[in-house]
């Protein structure tokens, strides 16, 4: 499990419990109770579980407490606290839809064989203003056949993310995958949320045929990589697909070149260089990738210096733009970025981990043979995409010893990469 973000609050168990129990009026920041409830998910002890249960039992109507209470439900789910199941089930009857949503998800995380509990979750589909997508997903996890007809009614929802979940769940419950192409089509939706969530639905249904489409979806690498890895690992183990079938798509995601993506946006006129640089800061990566493609095609001479300028001004602290700028400068073979790529190969902040992968790829594109020792060191990481990118960069730089650094403990797909070469 990836725990890079697990201890961001740097609290001990005792400190977190004390914050959770402290009266809101005595907290320096009222949000500290939420922080404590979130952080306690890292401590699977009876003390922590009891403190979180007491938080749920406290019916204080203060907004900050209600927010912390929802988080306490989520944390109990992450802790798989079976002793908390009865009180979490009671939360399904509350009026606050966000509390109900967290309760449904927590029950899924904890697990249950009690059909009465799952039936209560299913009944929420007949209630207004609920998180229908989440409820449908959880019913699929429990393989709850009695909800099938109700779930079918949601394939006509006006919300494409609900439609995607409903079609996928119907396929999972019936074994009929004839409508799954409609879910795959959402990978090209103009809404970034629809694109991201359809990937999850394709994962949940083990729809291996979608791997090439996922690779081309213009969303963050993290979403595409997770989708392909989970589908590949499952499919290879079940002997439904082979690594040779997956590998070209996996590498395209690691390289993350705009020409390998299906663009979902377009420009109605030639954009300026300044506009394209600003687009690299968008949260919808579909817009970032279109800007990247246009910069490469239309501004090959002017772009490198402009990109270096935006890096120094603000991209160095914006993890999305940071990633795109390093990639672009590597493709432009702009040698002044070499020092930045060497430094960012070991960026310490979790939010900038994508940039470590981008730096590895950039160093390969820059022909930076002096980076070989650092790239070899990166093969010791537990971060899949960084390890994969480092292998690709080392081979691009002519290092023929890279395969020797892959061990039997490595990820299945990393081992397969060694076999492939």
């Amino acid at each position: 499990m990836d725990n890079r973000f697990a201890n961001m609050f740097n609290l001990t168990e005792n400190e977190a419990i004390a914050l959770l129990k402290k009266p809101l009026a005595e907290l320096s920041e009222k949000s500290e109770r939420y922080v404590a409830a979130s952080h306690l998910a890292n401590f699977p002890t009876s003390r922590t579980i009891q403190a979180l249960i007491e938080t749920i039992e406290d019916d204080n109507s203060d907004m900050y407490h209600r927010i912390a209470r929802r988080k306490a439900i989520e944390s109990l789910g992450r802790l798989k606290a079976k002793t908390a199941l009865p009180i979490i089930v009671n939360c399904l009857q509350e009026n606050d839809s966000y509390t109900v949503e967290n309760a449904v998800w927590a029950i899924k995380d904890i697990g249950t064989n009690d059909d009465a509990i799952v039936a209560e979750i299913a009944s929420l589909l007949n209630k207004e203003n609920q998180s229908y997508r989440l409820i449908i997903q959880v019913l699929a996890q429990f393989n709850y056949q009695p909800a099938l007809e109700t779930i079918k009614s949601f394939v006509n929802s006006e919300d494409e993310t609900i439609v995607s979940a409903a079609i996928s769940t119907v396929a999972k419950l019936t074994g009929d995958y004839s409508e799954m192409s409609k879910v795959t089509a959402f990978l090209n939706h103009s809404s970034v949320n629809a694109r991201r969530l359809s990937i999850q639905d394709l994962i949940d249904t083990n729809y291996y045929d979608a791997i090439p489409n996922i690779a081309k979806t213009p969303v963050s690498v993290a979403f595409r990589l997770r989708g392909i890895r989970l589908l590949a690992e499952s499919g290879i183990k079940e002997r439904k697909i082979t690594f040779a079938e997956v590998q070209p798509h996996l590498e395209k995601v690691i390289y993350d070149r705009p020409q390998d993506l299906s663009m979902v946006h377009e420009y109605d006129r030639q954009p300026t260089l300044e506009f394209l640089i600003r687009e690299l800061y968008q949260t919808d990566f579909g817009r970032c990738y279109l800007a990247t493609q246009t910069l490469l095609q239309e501004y090959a001479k002017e772009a490198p210096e402009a990109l270096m300028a935006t890096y120094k001004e603000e991209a160095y602290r914006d993890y999305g733009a940071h990633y795109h700028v390093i990639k672009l400068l590597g493709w432009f073979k702009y040698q002044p970025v070499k020092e930045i790529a060497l430094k960012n190969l070991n960026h310490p902040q979790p939010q900038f981990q994508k940039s470590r992968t981008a730096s590895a790829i950039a160093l390969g594109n820059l022909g930076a043979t002096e980076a070989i020792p650092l790239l070899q060191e990166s093969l010791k990481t537990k971060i899949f995409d960084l390890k994969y990118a480092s292998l690709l960069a080392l081979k691009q730089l002519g290092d023929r010893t890279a395969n020797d650094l892959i061990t039997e403990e490595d990820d299945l797909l990393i081992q397969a990469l060694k076999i492939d070469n």
Side-chain angles (χ1 to χ4, degrees):
M1 188 172 73
D2 189 343
N3 290 315
R4 283 174 281 160
F5 297 85
N7 199 27
M8 291 179 69
F9 301 120
N10 198 30
L11 293 170
T12 66
E13 180 183 18
N14 286 339
E15 288 170 338
I17 290 175
L19 275 178
L20 199 60
K21 292 177 176 290
K22 198 171 186 179
L24 284 170
E26 296 178 17
L27 293 171
S28 56
E29 295 287 343
K30 286 189 174 184
S31 60
E32 285 180 329
R33 185 173 289 188
Y34 169 90
V35 168
S38 175
H39 188 63
L40 284 173
N42 297 303
F43 302 101
T45 69
S46 57
R47 289 181 61 241
T48 279
I49 290 169
Q50 184 56 38
L52 291 168
I53 289 174
E54 289 173 5
T55 300
I56 299 172
E57 290 175 331
D58 184 347
D59 60 1
N60 186 334
S61 62
D62 185 279
M63 179 185 72
Y64 287 96
H65 176 72
R66 286 188 285 114
I67 293 171
R69 188 170 177 268
R70 294 174 197 148
K71 200 66 181 179
I73 294 170
E74 181 184 318
S75 291
L76 286 166
R78 290 177 59 193
L79 290 168
K80 301 188 186 302
K82 289 189 179 298
T83 56
L85 193 57
I87 192 169
I88 293 174
V89 170
N90 288 340
C91 294
L92 294 176
Q93 300 302 320
E94 297 196 13
N95 292 324
D96 178 53
S97 62
Y98 298 110
T99 298
V100 174
E101 178 180 332
N102 282 19
V104 170
W105 197 253
I107 293 167
K108 185 270 298 180
D109 282 345
I110 294 169
T112 180
N113 293 319
D114 189 338
D115 281 348
I117 293 176
V118 185
E120 192 167 345
I121 293 173
S123 71
L124 295 170
L125 293 177
N126 299 312
K127 192 174 179 180
E128 291 185 354
N129 302 318
Q130 299 300 307
S131 299
Y132 300 119
R133 174 182 166 81
L134 171 70
I135 294 164
I136 291 169
Q137 284 181 295
V138 170
L139 292 171
Q141 292 285 322
F142 283 117
N143 195 34
Y144 191 64
Q145 296 288 335
L148 179 58
E149 292 305 315
T150 305
I151 292 170
K152 282 182 179 179
S153 68
F154 284 90
V155 301
N156 297 313
S157 171
E158 294 182 359
D159 185 329
E160 60 274 357
T161 66
I162 294 174
V163 173
S164 180
I167 293 172
S168 301
T169 299
V170 169
K172 187 172 183 178
L173 294 179
T174 64
D176 179 1
Y177 288 75
S178 60
E179 297 293 303
M180 285 300 294
S181 60
K182 294 179 180 178
V183 177
T184 305
F186 285 126
L187 294 172
N188 295 315
H189 199 280
S190 59
S191 163
V192 64
N193 199 40
R195 299 196 298 273
R196 291 171 179 170
L197 294 178
S198 62
I199 292 176
Q200 183 60 55
D201 295 328
L202 294 164
I203 294 168
D204 291 342
T205 51
N206 286 337
Y207 194 61
Y208 307 124
D209 289 349
I211 287 175
N213 302 86
I214 292 173
K216 295 187 290 185
T217 305
V219 294
S220 173
V221 165
F223 293 96
R224 283 179 281 145
L225 194 59
R226 179 175 177 273
I228 292 176
R229 284 186 67 193
L230 290 173
L231 286 170
E233 288 168 3
S234 173
I236 290 170
K237 287 177 182 177
E238 293 181 6
R239 300 184 182 278
K240 297 289 181 65
I241 52 176
T242 66
F243 177 73
E245 294 174 283
V246 175
Q247 192 259 352
H249 308 295
L250 188 58
E251 285 200 8
K252 283 181 180 179
V253 174
I254 297 294
Y255 280 125
D256 202 22
R257 297 170 292 223
Q259 62 264 36
D260 293 329
L261 298 172
S262 297
M263 297 298 170
V264 296
H265 302 296
E266 61 182 5
Y267 301 130
D268 56 7
R269 64 174 68 92
Q270 172 79 20
T272 64
L273 176 61
E274 292 75 17
F275 173 84
L276 294 170
I277 294 294
R278 294 315 310 167
E279 286 291 274
L280 300 178
Y281 292 84
Q282 290 279 352
T283 54
D284 178 353
F285 270 36
R287 298 192 178 280
C288 301
Y289 286 123
L290 181 59
T292 296
Q293 182 181 62
T294 309
L295 285 165
L296 288 166
Q297 292 175 347
E298 306 295 336
Y299 291 98
K301 290 183 179 179
E302 306 95 322
E305 289 188 7
L307 289 165
M308 183 62 84
T310 199
Y311 180 88
K312 291 178 179 178
E313 289 168 6
E314 57 180 320
Y316 72 91
R317 62 175 182 266
D318 182 294
Y319 57 87
H322 191 279
Y323 170 73
H324 294 298
V325 168
I326 289 176
K327 278 194 313 169
L328 273 160
L329 289 172
W331 289 325
F332 281 123
K333 300 190 187 315
Y334 187 66
Q335 292 300 320
V337 80
K338 188 185 297 182
E339 184 178 345
I340 290 174
L342 286 167
K343 178 181 178 181
N344 283 290
L345 191 61
N346 290 300
H347 202 298
Q349 295 182 31
Q351 301 95 319
F352 288 84
Q353 294 309 295
K354 288 198 303 292
S355 291
R356 297 180 69 183
T357 300
S359 296
I361 295 298
L363 289 166
N365 290 330
L366 291 165
T369 53
E370 66 269 37
I372 287 177
L374 286 175
L375 289 165
Q376 290 177 336
E377 189 67 21
S378 292
L379 295 181
K380 298 177 183 178
T381 183
K382 299 294 185 183
I383 304 170
F384 174 86
D385 46 327
L386 176 57
K387 179 171 285 192
Y388 204 117
S390 297
L391 279 170
L392 295 176
L394 284 167
K395 290 174 182 179
Q396 187 174 357
L397 294 171
D399 178 21
R400 302 304 171 195
T401 66
N403 273 343
D404 298 334
L405 301 175
I406 300 174
T407 69
E408 291 182 0
E409 288 75 36
D410 278 319
D411 183 284
L412 173 67
L413 296 176
I414 295 289
Q415 291 186 37
L417 179 63
K418 176 180 179 180
I419 293 168
D420 183 68
N421 289 278

